Amino acid sequence: MSTDAPVADATDRLVIAIDGPSGSGKSSTSRGVAARLGLRYLDTGAMYRAVTWWMLDHGVDVSDAAAVAAHAEEPVVESGTDPLAPTISVDGVDVSVEIRGEAVNGAVSPVSAVPEVRARMLELQRAAAAEGGIVVEGRDIGSVVLPDAPVKVYLTADPEARAARRALEEGGSDVAATQASLLQRDAIDSTRATSPLVMADGAAHLDTTAHTLDEVIDQVVALARSVAAGEGP
Ligand code: DC
């Protein structure tokens, strides 16, 4: 049997938390791991982006935390969890493309720093993970959302490598500008009062700078299989 085939064992019910800054390879790694292990996939960054898009679309001043908090209960965010075709909608509108644009890039960190927004997303994220069998990626998954996840991974990479990857994903945008915007988001995400980006207790730290995507996926899959087999991390 190929080692790539989804396996019908404890791996099926695993919860894998993958955290790290933008461009660390989180999304590609998380999707790849979920596809290899036959698990669902939840992109929590896309959820914060969808809320941010909604705030901008409704004319909410995103620099005013009280205004954002006042509307935090309103957007209805739904995530499709197929790792090969993840979807994200808000109030029934597919916003997969819109949430990757400059307007959302520039506003998502302040919106996601608002505690009322985080509380709402936390509830949705825990509900999605409740039945197990899922890879959840974000900033605070192993530390706050799913602290009991049996597999926790913290991905990092040098800022230059992260910016180069993000610029490529964004269709060849300017690497220096991408790096500046990414470092600015890192600073806000790491220093906010509620659930800042930190490495969770018990997380395996993987620096992806010098590794291909397949190598990183292999490492996480091996870790997940050893945990599912009861061998521990
Ligand atoms: O992973 P991403 O770049 O799509 O995330 C967008 C923003 O969402 C990021 O700047 C911080 C925020 N975020 C968060 O605060 N908590 C998460 N679990 C995921 C993302």
Side-chain angles (χ1 to χ4, degrees):
M1 189 177 91
S2 153
T3 52
D4 279 357
V7 281
D9 60 15
T11 318
D12 282 0
R13 292 181 302 278
L14 266 186
V15 173
I16 303 180
I18 302 190
D19 291 299
S22 307
S24 55
K26 263 190 338 257
S27 296
S28 314
T29 302
S30 301
R31 291 176 63 177
V33 169
R36 286 264 299 271
L37 294 174
L39 303 176
R40 294 176 299 132
Y41 160 71
L42 184 67
D43 177 356
T44 65
M47 298 170 73
Y48 285 102
R49 287 172 178 273
V51 171
T52 304
W53 177 86
W54 186 98
M55 296 288 167
L56 294 171
D57 191 56
H58 285 72
V60 177
D61 176 359
V62 294
S63 65
D64 178 351
V68 172
H71 292 281
E73 293 291 325
E74 294 172 40
V76 178
V77 175
E78 285 172 309
S79 308
T81 56
D82 177 351
L84 301 179
T87 57
I88 182 87
S89 71
V90 58
D91 293 355
V93 179
D94 183 322
V95 289
S96 313
V97 173
E98 292 79 355
I99 62 166
R100 304 291 163 194
E102 262 322 299
V104 170
N105 277 346
V108 66
S109 283
V111 169
S112 57
V114 174
E116 288 80 357
V117 171
R118 301 205 71 78
R120 179 104 192 286
M121 294 300 106
L122 178 91
E123 218 175 283
L124 291 177
Q125 291 157 13
R126 285 192 178 151
E131 67 193 64
I134 193 164
V135 178
V136 185
E137 68 146 293
R139 301 289 191 294
D140 60 340
I141 308 308
S143 56
V144 174
V145 179
L146 303 167
D148 297 328
V151 181
K152 296 184 195 179
V153 177
Y154 189 77
L155 295 182
T156 53
D158 291 349
E160 295 74 20
R162 297 199 280 123
R165 288 172 187 165
R166 238 330 123 84
L168 200 67
E169 281 167 18
E170 286 169 2
S173 53
D174 178 68
V175 180
T178 303
Q179 185 167 336
S181 135
L182 184 143
L183 290 177
Q184 193 184 10
R185 269 181 289 146
D186 278 5
I188 303 176
D189 298 343
S190 309
T191 56
R192 68 180 174 225
T194 309
S195 308
L197 170 66
V198 287
M199 188 163 106
D201 283 345
H205 181 189
L206 302 181
D207 183 333
T208 67
T209 309
H211 294 284
T212 64
L213 174 61
D214 280 344
E215 287 169 344
V216 180
I217 293 172
D218 283 347
Q219 288 188 52
V220 179
V221 165
L223 173 66
R225 289 198 165 129
S226 75
V227 170
E231 292 157 16

